Amino acid sequence: MAMVNVTFIAADGSEQRIAVATGTSLMEAAVGQGVDGIDAECGGNCYCGTCRVYVDPAWQAIVGPQGEYEGPVVEATGDEEPSVRLSCQVTVTDELDGLVVRLPAAQT
Ligand code: FES
């Protein structure tokens, strides 16, 4: 297990940077460390769609596309931002050291 740095940029532009243990989901790390702006109502079960993040363009290829079960959940939220991922479905790896994601204005 290693630690990598991830930066969350809120809709108002404020940044929160946390150290995340590899193997953890981005959502668990963010919620566990008090990052504002991720509701995660279903607790990481790929169901609620309230853990959305927008992956910085420089990181999209490394983070990868939405998973098979993720797409319909995102669609149900009405969020049409192309870079959107459910943070509970992104497992942090060594490759993601320095990752930057943005947060929606609201997790509806
Ligand atoms: S926490 Fe509910 S979909 Fe991610």
Side-chain angles (χ1 to χ4, degrees):
M1 186 183 79
M3 301 298 284
V4 302
N5 289 306
V6 179
T7 300
F8 294 81
I9 304 176
D12 68 3
S14 62
E15 296 189 9
Q16 302 169 86
R17 188 173 185 219
I18 61 173
V20 181
T22 54
T24 312
S25 84
L26 202 51
M27 179 282 278
E28 287 173 310
V31 170
Q33 295 189 54
V35 172
D36 291 330
I38 295 189
D39 294 349
E41 284 165 13
C42 76
N45 289 312
C46 194
Y47 185 74
C48 68
T50 62
C51 63
R52 301 188 313 282
V53 295
Y54 306 134
V55 178
D56 184 87
W59 288 92
Q60 284 170 13
I62 302 165
V63 172
Q66 295 170 3
E68 182 184 354
Y69 301 108
E70 193 176 344
V73 176
V74 169
E75 210 176 299
T77 69
D79 192 332
E80 293 178 343
E81 167 61 48
S83 65
V84 65
R85 290 290 316 266
L86 296 177
S87 60
C88 69
Q89 302 303 305
V90 177
T91 301
V92 175
T93 61
D94 289 332
E95 278 186 302
L96 297 185
D97 193 19
L99 174 65
V100 177
V101 299
R102 292 181 173 73
L103 294 160
Q107 295 280 2
T108 50

